[in-house]
Coordinates of all heavy atoms in Angstrom, one line a residue:
I287 N 155.4 118.6 81.8 CA 155.9 119.7 82.5 C 156.7 119.2 83.7 O 156.1 118.7 84.7 CB 154.9 120.7 82.9 CG1 154.1 121.2 81.7 CG2 155.5 121.9 83.7 CD1 152.9 122.2 82.0
G288 N 158.0 119.2 83.7 CA 158.8 118.6 84.7 C 159.3 117.2 84.1 O 158.6 116.2 84.2
T289 N 160.6 117.2 83.6 CA 161.1 116.0 83.1 C 162.2 115.5 84.0 O 163.4 115.5 83.6 CB 161.6 116.3 81.6 OG1 160.5 116.9 80.9 CG2 162.0 115.0 80.9
G290 N 161.8 115.1 85.2 CA 162.7 114.4 86.1 C 162.4 113.0 86.1 O 162.0 112.4 85.1
M291 N 162.5 112.3 87.3 CA 162.3 110.9 87.3 C 160.9 110.5 86.8 O 160.8 109.6 86.0 CB 162.5 110.4 88.8 CG 163.9 110.4 89.2 SD 164.1 109.7 90.9 CE 163.5 108.1 90.7
V292 N 159.9 111.2 87.3 CA 158.5 110.8 87.0 C 158.1 111.2 85.6 O 157.6 110.5 84.8 CB 157.5 111.4 88.0 CG1 156.1 111.3 87.6 CG2 157.7 110.7 89.4
G293 N 158.5 112.5 85.2 CA 158.1 113.0 83.9 C 158.8 112.2 82.8 O 158.2 111.8 81.8
N311 N 161.1 121.6 81.2 CA 161.6 121.6 82.6 C 161.8 123.1 83.0 O 161.2 124.0 82.3 CB 162.9 120.8 82.7 CG 164.0 121.4 81.9 OD1 163.9 122.5 81.3 ND2 165.1 120.7 81.8
S312 N 162.5 123.4 84.1 CA 162.6 124.8 84.5 C 163.8 125.5 83.8 O 163.8 126.7 83.8 CB 162.8 124.9 86.0 OG 164.1 124.5 86.4
R313 N 164.7 124.7 83.2 CA 165.9 125.3 82.7 C 165.9 125.6 81.2 O 166.9 126.1 80.7 CB 167.1 124.4 83.1 CG 167.5 124.4 84.6 CD 168.4 123.2 84.9 NE 167.7 122.0 84.7 CZ 168.3 120.8 84.3 NH1 169.6 120.8 84.1 NH2 167.6 119.7 84.2
P334 N 157.6 125.0 79.4 CA 156.3 124.5 80.0 C 155.1 125.0 79.4 O 154.1 124.3 79.2 CB 156.5 125.0 81.5 CG 158.0 125.0 81.7 CD 158.5 125.5 80.4
S347 N 154.6 117.0 86.3 CA 155.5 116.2 87.1 C 156.6 117.1 87.7 O 157.8 116.9 87.4 CB 156.0 115.0 86.4 OG 156.2 115.3 85.0
V348 N 156.2 118.1 88.5 CA 157.2 119.0 89.1 C 157.1 118.8 90.6 O 156.1 118.2 91.1 CB 156.9 120.5 88.8 CG1 157.0 120.7 87.3 CG2 155.5 120.9 89.3
P349 N 158.0 119.3 91.4 CA 157.8 119.2 92.9 C 156.6 120.0 93.2 O 156.3 121.1 92.6 CB 159.1 119.9 93.4 CG 160.1 119.8 92.3 CD 159.3 119.8 91.1
L350 N 155.8 119.5 94.2 CA 154.6 120.3 94.6 C 154.9 121.7 94.9 O 154.1 122.6 94.7 CB 153.9 119.6 95.8 CG 152.6 120.1 96.2 CD1 151.5 120.0 95.1 CD2 152.1 119.5 97.5
A352 N 156.4 123.8 93.4 CA 156.4 124.6 92.2 C 155.0 124.7 91.6 O 154.9 125.2 90.5 CB 157.4 124.0 91.2
Q355 N 153.8 127.7 89.8 CA 154.4 128.1 88.6 C 153.9 127.4 87.4 O 154.3 127.6 86.2 CB 155.9 127.9 88.7 CG 156.6 128.9 89.7 CD 157.9 128.4 90.3 OE1 158.7 127.8 89.6 NE2 158.0 128.6 91.6
P369 N 150.8 114.0 89.5 CA 151.5 113.0 90.2 C 152.2 113.4 91.4 O 153.0 112.7 92.0 CB 152.5 112.5 89.1 CG 153.0 113.7 88.5 CD 151.8 114.7 88.5
M370 N 152.0 114.7 91.8 CA 152.8 115.3 92.9 C 152.4 114.9 94.2 O 151.2 114.7 94.5 CB 152.6 116.9 92.8 CG 153.2 117.5 91.5 SD 152.9 119.2 91.4 CE 151.4 119.3 90.5
N371 N 153.4 114.7 95.1 CA 153.1 114.3 96.5 C 153.7 115.4 97.4 O 154.7 116.0 97.2 CB 153.8 113.0 96.8 CG 153.2 111.8 96.0 OD1 151.9 111.7 96.1 ND2 153.9 111.0 95.3
L407 N 149.4 108.5 88.7 CA 150.8 108.2 88.5 C 151.7 108.8 89.7 O 152.9 109.1 89.5 CB 151.3 108.8 87.2 CG 150.7 108.1 85.9 CD1 151.1 108.9 84.7 CD2 151.3 106.7 85.8
H408 N 151.1 108.9 90.8 CA 151.8 109.5 92.0 C 152.2 108.4 93.0 O 153.0 108.7 93.9 CB 150.9 110.5 92.7 CG 149.6 109.8 93.2 ND1 148.7 109.3 92.4 CD2 149.2 109.5 94.5 CE1 147.7 108.7 93.1 NE2 148.0 108.8 94.3
I410 N 153.3 105.2 92.1 CA 154.2 104.2 91.6 C 155.5 104.9 91.1 O 155.4 106.0 90.6 CB 153.5 103.5 90.4 CG1 154.3 102.3 89.9 CG2 153.1 104.4 89.3 CD1 153.6 101.4 88.9
G411 N 156.6 104.2 91.2 CA 157.9 104.8 90.8 C 158.1 104.5 89.3 O 157.5 103.6 88.7
P412 N 159.1 105.2 88.7 CA 159.3 105.0 87.3 C 159.9 103.6 86.9 O 159.6 103.1 85.9 CB 160.4 106.1 87.0 CG 160.7 106.8 88.2 CD 159.8 106.3 89.3
Q495 N 163.1 102.7 95.0 CA 163.5 103.2 93.6 C 164.2 102.1 92.8 O 164.1 102.2 91.6 CB 164.4 104.4 93.7 CG 163.6 105.7 94.0 CD 164.4 106.9 94.2 OE1 165.6 106.9 94.4 NE2 163.7 108.0 94.3
Ligands
NAP836 N1 160.5 110.1 92.2 C1 159.5 109.2 92.4 O1 159.7 108.0 92.5 C2 158.1 109.8 92.4 C3 157.0 108.9 92.3 C4 155.7 109.4 92.3 C5 155.5 110.7 92.4 N2 156.5 111.6 92.5 C6 156.2 113.1 92.6 O2 156.4 113.5 91.2 C7 156.9 114.9 91.2 C8 158.2 114.9 90.4 O3 159.1 114.0 91.1 P1 160.5 113.6 90.4 O4 161.1 112.6 91.3 O5 160.3 113.4 89.0 O6 161.3 115.0 90.6 P2 162.7 115.4 90.0 O7 163.4 114.2 89.5 O8 163.4 116.3 90.9 O9 162.2 116.3 88.7 C9 161.5 117.5 88.8 C10 161.3 118.1 87.5 O10 160.5 119.3 87.6 C11 161.1 120.3 86.9 N3 160.7 121.6 87.5 C12 160.9 122.1 88.7 N4 160.3 123.3 88.8 C13 159.7 123.6 87.6 C14 159.0 124.6 87.1 N5 158.7 125.7 87.9 N6 158.6 124.6 85.8 C15 158.9 123.5 85.1 N7 159.6 122.4 85.5 C16 160.0 122.5 86.8 C17 162.6 120.1 87.1 O11 163.3 120.8 86.1 P3 164.8 121.3 86.3 O12 165.6 120.1 86.5 O13 165.1 122.0 85.0 O14 164.7 122.3 87.5 C18 162.7 118.6 86.9 O15 162.6 118.3 85.5 C19 157.1 115.3 92.6 O16 156.0 116.1 93.0 C20 157.1 113.9 93.4 O17 156.5 114.1 94.7 C21 157.8 111.2 92.5

Side-chain angles (χ1 to χ4, degrees):
I287 302 178
T289 308
M291 288 182 62
V292 168
N311 64 8
S312 76
R313 287 165 296 146
S347 34
V348 301
L350 184 64
Q355 291 155 40
M370 294 177 268
N371 291 311
L407 292 172
H408 60 292
I410 186 168
Q495 279 174 352

